[in-house]
Structures are given as structure tokens and as C-alpha cells.
Amino acid sequence: SCHAGRGRASDMLAGSRRGPVRAALAMCVGSSALGSGALNERSVETAHSFTGRMCAASRLEETRRPDSLFSDPLAYTLAGKEGRAQPMGGWIMVPRTRFGDDFLRDHYTRGARQLVLLGAGFDARAYRMSGLPELRVYEVDQKTTFEVKEPLLTGESLAVASRAAVATEFTRPGEWAAALLASGFDPAVPTTN
């Protein structure tokens, strides 16, 4: 994986004629490893979305372990080639994911029926977590993330009652909350995040 010694993230994601994510990958794995057809799938446009793909790649690595702490059948697809080329550190993503799963299950047993994921990235809990049949999931993130993610989920079956992709811009005060309410979020229903 790429490390700080090869360049700062801001340098890697700065305006490159090849695109910010492709430039970051080139710095991390070398230009020759990318080739002209290596990224023939749609690439993300922001560093934030790229981080989401890296996180999905770490969930993929954990899913493939015989003693995995969780399973994410969509991780390969959601990570894409660009995420699989540079997984986020499993040392932080694996316990964070498992903690989040356990936290959600615990709060569901206490009555929470809505989950709000701010900065959802390429999370797949709405598809992979069984046993939460009344849960409504609200994934809140940048429009550019959903432009890549949503086509990848076409035809996949939800494991929960519903899922809403709430596109917003976090830098505009109040926008994400208004978008969340417009998507059907009910402030009166017990919620976890």
C-alpha cells in the first residue's frame, strides 16, 4: 500500500491531467502498473470517495479470511480496481467495522429503527446485515460518491426494510440535515449512527 514517504495525500490528489485518483494510484503503485485499460470501470472523483473505496477493499480482505469477523459480499464490487489497489489499513478498518456492526445490532434490540451513516462512502450494511428487518438506512454522502456507487448496487437485494442514498454537500451548513429530512427520515423514530 501507499505510505506517506511516497508523497502527501494533498500532493497525490492535486490536479493531474490523468485525474486525481488515477494520479494517486500512479504514485502508489507506479504508472506502469495502471496501464491504459487498468481502470476501465468508473473512477471516483474526490479523495473522500476514494477513501470509501479503500475501506471497501479492507472489508474485502477481511471477508476472505477463514476466521473473518464479518462478511461483506459486495466489498469486491464496491472497492473497484482503484480501491483494491490500495486497501485502507485493516488494523483500523476491521475493528471499526465490527464495532459498528455490534453497535447497530445492540441499538436495534433497544428499539432503534433508523440508521444514519454520515459520510457513508461505499458502506454496504443495508445489504449485508441480516436480522434487522425493520431498519431504515439513510446513507448521507457526496453526490459524486453515489454516482459511482448506485450503479454497482443495481439488482442487489436489501437485508433491511429500506435504504435511501442522500446526496448532499457537507460544506454547506444545514444542507445535509434538510436532505435527510426530505428523504423520509423521521426525527421521532429512535435512530442510531
Side-chain angles (χ1 to χ4, degrees), residues 3-191:
H3 55 80
R6 291 190 126 166
R8 293 184 1 209
S10 60
D11 296 336
M12 289 188 282
L13 298 173
S16 164
R17 286 194 173 99
R18 296 179 294 175
V21 172
R22 192 168 176 83
L25 287 173
M27 289 184 76
C28 292
V29 299
S31 298
S32 62
L34 292 176
S36 60
L39 293 179
N40 59 2
E41 64 187 36
R42 184 163 182 184
S43 295
V44 295
E45 296 179 13
T46 66
H48 173 82
S49 293
F50 182 53
T51 300
R53 290 200 115 173
M54 294 165 61
C55 293
S58 290
R59 292 194 310 273
L60 171 64
E61 290 180 338
E62 180 64 15
T63 296
R64 289 178 170 171
R65 292 177 53 97
D67 60 346
S68 65
L69 297 176
F70 56 83
S71 177
D72 187 344
L74 295 175
Y76 180 90
T77 299
L78 292 173
K81 290 179 184 177
E82 60 192 354
R84 291 188 306 269
Q86 188 181 347
M88 179 67 70
W91 62 273
I92 188 66
M93 286 308 306
V94 171
R96 182 181 122 175
T97 300
R98 178 57 189 261
F99 176 84
D101 292 353
D102 292 347
F103 187 87
L104 172 57
R105 287 190 189 285
D106 179 53
H107 282 77
Y108 185 84
T109 63
R110 296 175 192 212
R113 292 300 180 262
Q114 295 181 134
L115 169 65
V116 176
L117 294 170
L118 294 176
F122 288 79
D123 189 275
R125 283 186 174 93
Y127 296 90
R128 68 177 181 81
M129 291 196 65
S130 60
L132 310 171
E134 298 173 23
L135 188 69
R136 296 184 315 208
V137 177
Y138 297 89
E139 295 184 8
V140 184
D141 213 323
Q142 299 171 331
K143 180 181 176 190
T144 59
T145 298
F146 292 124
E147 288 172 345
V148 174
K149 182 178 182 179
E150 294 310 292
L152 298 174
L153 297 172
T154 300
E156 297 294 340
S157 298
L158 287 172
V160 298
S162 67
R163 172 188 172 266
V166 183
T168 192
E169 180 51 58
F170 290 110
T171 60
R172 296 185 197 126
E175 184 175 309
W176 70 265
L180 181 62
L181 289 169
S183 72
F185 174 79
D186 184 349
V189 174
T191 302

